[in-house]
Amino acid sequence: MAHSEEDILAGLAEIVNDESGLPTDAVQLDKSFTDDLDIDSLSMMTIVTLAEEKFEVRIPDEEVKNLATVGDAVSFIARAQEA
Amino acid sequence: MSEQPNVVITGLGATTPLGGDVASTWAGALAGRSGVRTLTQDWVAKYELPVTFAGQLAVPAENVLPRPEIRRMDPSAQYAMIAAREAWADAGAPEAPGERIGTVIASGIGGVWTLLTAWDTIKEKGARRVLPLTVPMLMPNSPAAYVSIEVGAKAGAHAPVSACASGAEAIGYGVEMIRTGRADIVVAGGTEAAIHPLPIASFAKMQALSTRNESPETASRPYDVSRDGFVLGEGAGVVILEREDLAVARGARIYARVAGVGMSSDAYDIAPPDPSGAGQERAMRIAIADAGVSGADIVHVNAHATSTPAGDGVEATAIRRTLGGDADHTAISATKSMTGHLLGGAGAMETIFTVLAVHHHVAPPTINVTEIQPGLEIDLVRDVPRQLREGQIAALNNAFGFGGHNVALVVTSV
C-alpha cells in the first residue's frame, strides 16, 4: 500500500528522531540532512536502511548523495513506491 | 619510594545486577542481597535453554541513556558509558590535557548482541537491511573508544581481552600506563552484556553454569559443598586511576592506592585452570611483591570464586599457598554469590568492591554458603559484612579467565 507524502514525512521524522534525538517537528521538507539536521554519512545510511524497510522501497546507494533535503527523500520514496 | 609514581583511585562507577550505580551496588552487597532472577524473555523457552536465570542489570540501560546512544552502541558499550560517566563525575571531572588521559575498557566477549542480531537480519532480510554501524558496534574495543570520545582521552584507548580476567587486566594496564609515564589519568574498567541465548547455551553445554533453576537467588554459592556452576551476570565497573602526586595536588578525594599488579598465564588449557593453581599463585605473589607489602598485610581477598566445582578449590589452595599461615586471618569474600559472574566486567566491579572494602574497612559478605567444602582452608566472610582492622591495610582482588589468564591486584589504604 502506498504511503502519502505526509505519512512519509512523519515516518522519516520518527526514524531521524530515533537515530539522532532531534525532535520530530524539526524534520521539515526544506531541511538539509547535513547542514540543518547535522546528520553524518553513517547516520544517513542508517536512516536510508530503516526507511527502505519502513516504506518497502529500494533506495540505491548511489541515490543517497542526491537526497540533500528531507523533501528530496520524501519525493524519492513517494516515486519509488509507485514504481 | 620507588622511581615509578604511585597510582590512586579517585573515582568509581558501576551498573550491576545489584544497582544502577556504585552506592546502590555497594549497599546491596553489604546487605547480602542477590541480584539474580529468573529470565522472563521469550527466548528462554523458545530455545529450551537448560538455564533459565541470570543477573541482569538492576536498572536497564534504556532507563539511563538517551535513545540515540542506545541505538548506536552495543549494550556492552552502553554499560561502560554509564559506569564511566559516574566514575568521571565522582572523580570531580579532573581537568588535564587530553594527551595525558587514557582509557582502558575491556570486555570478555564484546558485542555479541549486535553481531548475532545482525546475523539474524541478513539471514531473514538480506544484506540491504544490515545497519552501517554494525561493525563499529560489535568490535570489542568499542566501549574503550566510546569512553575515550566521552572524556577526550588521547593518550591511548585500549581493550585487553582475557575472558573473565579482562576487567582486572584493564585496570592493571591502566596502572602501567601511569607508571611508565604514558598518562596521568586513566579511565579503566570492564564491561559485559552477554545474557544472550547463545553464550548461555554454550556455557551450559560446558556444564559451567549452575542449573538451580528453581532457586535463582541461591544458585551462586562459591566454596559451598553443593555449588554446581557459575551464574551469568552483566554490567560494568569503571575506576579513575590517577598519578598520586597530581591527585593530591588537585585536592582529589582518594579512595585507595592500586599498589601492586600481578599477571601470569597457565599455558595449560583453554577452559579450566591449571589444577595445581601455580599460575594463580604466581600472579598473587607478583602483585604482593610489586606492592611492597607482605602476606601479613593482606587482610582481605575479593576472590574470583565463581561457584564452579573445579575453580573455587584451585583458587582457595592458591590463596593458602600464597599467604601461608597469614591466610588463617584473611577475610575472603566471594561477591559473585550476589552479583553473578559479570565475565569481562567482573574484575573491574570486584576491584571496586575491594577498593571500598579498604576505604571503609569492611569486607562484604558471601551469601548462600551453608557448608564450606571440607578441606578448603579459608576464612570466608559469610552472610554479614566483617569489619577489617583499623590502620594501614591491604587487600587482594583476583580475576582469572578461560585460557589461563591470571590477574591479581593489590589495593592499599592511603
Side-chain angles (χ1 to χ4, degrees):
Chain A
M1 199 185 91
H3 301 265
S4 69
E5 295 209 0
E6 204 170 287
D7 285 349
I8 295 168
L9 176 61
L12 262 184
E14 278 173 27
I15 292 171
V16 171
N17 167 259
D18 220 24
E19 177 65 17
S20 69
L22 281 169
T24 51
D25 59 10
V27 183
Q28 300 289 341
L29 292 175
D30 62 338
K31 298 293 181 196
S32 156
F33 283 108
T34 50
D35 298 339
D36 298 321
L37 305 182
D38 203 23
I39 303 288
D40 64 23
S41 62
L42 281 175
S43 289
M44 189 63 191
M45 287 308 298
T46 302
I47 290 164
V48 165
T49 304
L50 296 171
E52 279 196 345
E53 181 156 22
K54 188 170 193 128
F55 303 114
E56 299 173 79
V57 295
R58 187 173 175 108
I59 307 173
D61 293 351
E62 59 273 18
E63 273 301 327
V64 176
K65 64 178 185 304
N66 299 326
L67 307 179
T69 66
V70 174
D72 295 339
V74 169
S75 304
F76 186 90
I77 291 166
R79 283 198 310 275
Q81 65 184 0
E82 288 161 10
Chain B
M1 185 176 145
S2 64
E3 292 169 24
Q4 290 182 328
N6 286 326
V7 179
V8 293
I9 290 184
T10 58
L12 305 173
T15 183
T16 76
L18 289 176
D21 58 15
V22 170
S24 54
T25 296
W26 180 238
L30 291 181
R33 277 203 296 114
S34 170
V36 179
R37 302 285 181 271
T38 297
L39 292 167
T40 55
Q41 290 89 336
D42 60 359
W43 43 256
V44 176
K46 185 176 174 188
Y47 301 129
E48 300 174 38
L49 293 179
V51 174
T52 61
F53 59 97
Q56 295 180 281
L57 286 191
V59 179
E62 289 81 4
N63 296 8
V64 181
L65 297 177
R67 178 84 184 139
E69 290 190 338
I70 294 290
R71 288 191 50 81
R72 297 172 77 97
M73 293 181 198
D74 180 80
S76 60
Q78 295 166 18
Y79 304 171
M81 190 62 96
I82 291 168
R85 283 179 179 151
E86 183 191 0
W88 190 251
D90 188 45
E95 287 184 18
E99 290 74 14
R100 302 304 303 157
I101 305 172
T103 60
V104 194
I105 309 286
S107 168
I109 295 186
V112 65
W113 269 104
T114 296
L115 175 64
L116 295 175
T117 303
W119 180 235
D120 289 343
T121 298
I122 199 169
K123 282 186 296 179
E124 291 165 14
K125 302 175 181 173
R128 286 201 68 77
R129 294 286 177 271
V130 173
L131 293 170
L133 283 174
T134 299
V135 168
M137 285 172 71
L138 69 85
M139 60 193 194
N141 55 306
S142 195
Y146 269 118
V147 171
S148 77
I149 296 163
E150 175 75 9
V151 301
K154 297 178 179 175
H158 306 280
V161 176
S162 51
C164 306
S166 302
E169 183 166 330
I171 292 171
Y173 191 94
V175 169
E176 295 302 329
M177 283 182 80
I178 295 176
R179 284 177 169 180
T180 56
R182 282 188 58 204
D184 297 328
I185 300 172
V186 178
V187 184
T191 183
E192 204 75 80
I195 302 178
H196 178 287
L198 189 72
I200 292 175
S202 172
F203 282 131
K205 202 62 137 177
M206 297 176 86
Q207 299 189 301
L209 292 180
S210 170
T211 56
R212 214 173 286 266
N213 290 328
E214 72 290 350
S215 180
E217 292 87 353
T218 71
S220 185
R221 43 180 66 204
Y223 302 118
D224 189 79
V225 70
S226 67
R227 69 191 184 278
D228 71 330
F230 79 83
V231 174
L232 186 59
E234 65 175 355
V238 171
V239 303
I240 307 301
L241 302 168
E242 281 192 70
R243 220 177 83 181
E244 182 167 357
D245 58 330
L246 296 177
V248 169
R250 77 174 180 92
R253 180 254 337 272
I254 293 171
Y255 285 102
R257 186 180 292 129
V258 187
V261 178
M263 298 191 199
S264 71
S265 44
D266 283 353
Y268 177 81
D269 191 279
I270 201 63
D274 175 352
S276 78
Q280 299 180 1
E281 178 184 349
R282 205 164 62 253
M284 285 185 269
R285 285 187 183 280
I286 292 168
I288 290 168
D290 185 37
V293 298
S294 71
D297 297 316
I298 305 289
V299 299
H300 167 57
V301 179
N302 188 303
H304 186 62
T306 63
S307 186
T308 59
D312 293 2
V314 174
E315 183 182 14
T317 304
I319 291 171
R320 166 61 61 171
R321 274 211 309 271
T322 304
L323 299 181
D326 295 324
D328 290 343
H329 311 293
T330 304
I332 294 181
S333 301
T335 46
K336 288 186 182 78
S337 59
M338 299 174 282
T339 60
H341 189 354
L342 271 56
L343 308 181
M349 179 186 63
E350 288 151 22
T351 294
I352 292 173
F353 284 146
T354 310
V355 165
L356 290 171
V358 164
H359 186 65
H360 295 298
H361 291 261
V362 60
T366 307
I367 63 169
N368 299 328
V369 177
T370 52
E371 183 189 349
I372 295 179
Q373 183 188 316
L376 298 186
E377 298 174 291
I378 53 169
D379 181 10
L380 191 66
V381 181
R382 288 167 65 171
D383 301 322
V384 292
R386 185 190 300 176
Q387 285 299 127
L388 300 173
R389 68 171 160 76
E390 291 305 306
Q392 187 71 24
I393 56 172
L396 259 175
N397 174 35
N398 285 340
F400 310 130
F402 278 179
H405 308 270
N406 306 306
V407 179
L409 302 173
V410 170
V411 175
T412 61
S413 54
V414 289

